[in-house]
Amino acid sequence: MTGAPILLIEDTPSLRMVYESVLKNAGHVVRSEASAEAGLKAFKAARPPVVLLDLMLPDRDGLDLMEEMLALRPETAVIVVTANGSINKAVGAMRKGAHEFLVKPFDEQRFLAAVDNALRSVATIAPAAAGTPADRPPGEFIGRSEPMRKVYDRIRSAARSMATVFITGESGTGKELCAQAVHDLSNRARGPFVPINCGAIPSELLESEVFGHVKGSFTGAIADKPGAAASADGGTLFLDEICELDPNLQTKLLRFLQTSTIQPVGAARPRKVNVRIVCATNRDPQEAVRQGRFREDLYYRLHVVPIHLPPLRERGEDIAQIADMALERFAREEGRSFRAIDPEVRALFRNFRWPGNVRQLLNVMRNVVVLNDGTVVTRSMLPFEMHHLLETGTDAGGDGQPAVTLDGLVGRTLAEVERMVIEATLARHGGSVPKAARTLDVAASTLYRKIEGWKAP
């Protein structure tokens, strides 16, 4: 039993009666109206936490009404209801702040689940938002540049919704941090956050990793495995490198998004799960669709709330702030005495293009702290690869990428040479591991393992 009133705005009398009856039988207090004008008056008077809004109203466009209501009370969870032929309009509503959308016809269970999720969202997010400064970066993000402020606003808006979030940006810009922030600010924050990298797992194992398998379903399946989708039940499933997903699995993912059911490999029956999807890619997803590598219908199903993370070179003074925070943290972890960064190095950082973005900057700072002593970071302490790029006047961001010369390799260990070649290839391809793997003729999973190994203490 919830004491909160729910506002229902639906102009069709028969549907209004059905929706109202279902809600009241479930223990909800309901106020219903048949027009946009009456609905807006009720909204101002009753201040409902949840609004069920038909987008096709006789006296006003439902989308305009929703925008006015959210301008008055941004914390309201609006569930838009639309016919099958107006899904694009519903997606537009999600991008403008709607919490969820329902496509007619829908069953009673789906209807009540959407309302319950909306009520939980309002109850969970509103108190947290009240005690959080509006300009404080969400999650683990650092920096308050104007491009990032827009990202933070979009994260906070997306967190209030149940919509699928599609994160784009170059490698190393913080796409997983973004996904984690969306999860942490949502009403699913107490549920699991399960990340899976679609480009790091061999295609023959990916279905099992995502949807699970039962014992004996294939060679090596010695026990039941739930899979990432089942593990994320009640929380968020983060699909990184989504454009690397095998075409056959794209079809199964689309079915999962449409039905909210999964069927583990070898299982006789499907099962329902309650999962929110957040996905990310460092590719241009529309180009992947044009090239036939990514299903168009899956793209439109996933690309509901887009968030684009700007490259580090466009973030201005954020670069210095991230470098300072990294220096303090790594010096503490490594027991070093570093306290500051030389002004010359700061200027170099500000003008460098950072093809590997934040991940590259963090690697540079870790390298400096581990391999040097002192209190101030100077230019001479910067890694060899960065010196080479600076001296040749190139920035590793385009066709001017310098070739690795034999003079620069002689005297180094084989492991160092391998790392330099891999990092140079990654830089040439904008940090894309799959592209670098194709150039080096190795599996993407091999590169991911090596990169993770470099991070190990």
Side-chain angles (χ1 to χ4, degrees), residues 141 148 151 154-155 158 163-183 193 236-243 276-285 294 299 302-310:
F141 279 107
M148 291 307 293
V151 169
R154 181 59 69 93
I155 288 173
T164 301
V165 177
F166 201 113
I167 306 168
T168 56
E170 296 178 9
S171 182
T173 49
K175 294 186 288 294
E176 185 166 348
L177 286 184
C178 181
Q180 182 75 60
V182 169
H183 171 77
F193 175 81
T236 302
L237 176 62
F238 174 49
L239 299 173
D240 199 6
E241 300 286 2
I242 186 70
C243 286
R276 183 189 190 173
I277 300 292
V278 177
C279 57
T281 182
N282 58 15
R283 290 181 180 269
D284 177 351
F294 198 72
Y299 167 74
L302 292 172
H303 200 264
V304 178
V305 178
I307 300 178
H308 180 72
L309 296 179

Side-chain angles (χ1 to χ4, degrees), residues 384-385 401-406 408-409 412-429 435-437 439-442 447 450-451 454:
F384 167 81
E385 314 89 85
Q401 166 72 20
V404 177
T405 64
L406 189 61
L409 302 179
R412 293 179 176 271
T413 66
L414 187 59
E416 288 176 325
V417 171
E418 179 186 61
R419 179 169 179 173
M420 288 172 62
V421 171
I422 291 174
E423 288 182 337
T425 307
L426 283 167
R428 175 168 293 206
H429 291 292
K435 288 181 181 178
T439 298
L440 296 170
D441 195 23
V442 297
L447 293 192
K450 289 185 179 294
I451 293 168
W454 298 338

Side-chain angles (χ1 to χ4, degrees), residues 4 18 81-82 89 169 188 208-209 214 260 295 311 318 333 425 435 448:
V18 170
V81 180
T82 187
K89 194 169 185 179
R188 294 173 170 262
S208 170
E209 290 294 324
V214 297
S260 296
R295 290 181 61 118
D318 286 357
E333 291 176 358
T425 307
K435 288 181 181 178
Y448 280 113

Side-chain angles (χ1 to χ4, degrees), residues 22 81 197:
V22 170
V81 180
N197 192 315

Side-chain angles (χ1 to χ4, degrees), residues 323 326-327 330 341 345 349 352 354 357-372 377-379 381-387 389 419 423:
L327 182 65
F330 296 150
I341 299 174
V345 176
F349 282 2
F352 194 65
W354 298 108
N357 293 292
V358 178
R359 184 183 296 121
Q360 183 183 11
L361 175 55
L362 295 177
N363 286 344
V364 166
M365 297 311 296
R366 172 76 80 174
N367 180 289
V368 167
V369 170
V370 170
L371 299 181
N372 298 276
V377 176
T378 62
R379 177 169 179 159
M381 297 177 180
L382 298 179
F384 167 81
E385 314 89 85
M386 198 166 182
H387 271 296
L389 295 174
R419 179 169 179 173
E423 288 182 337

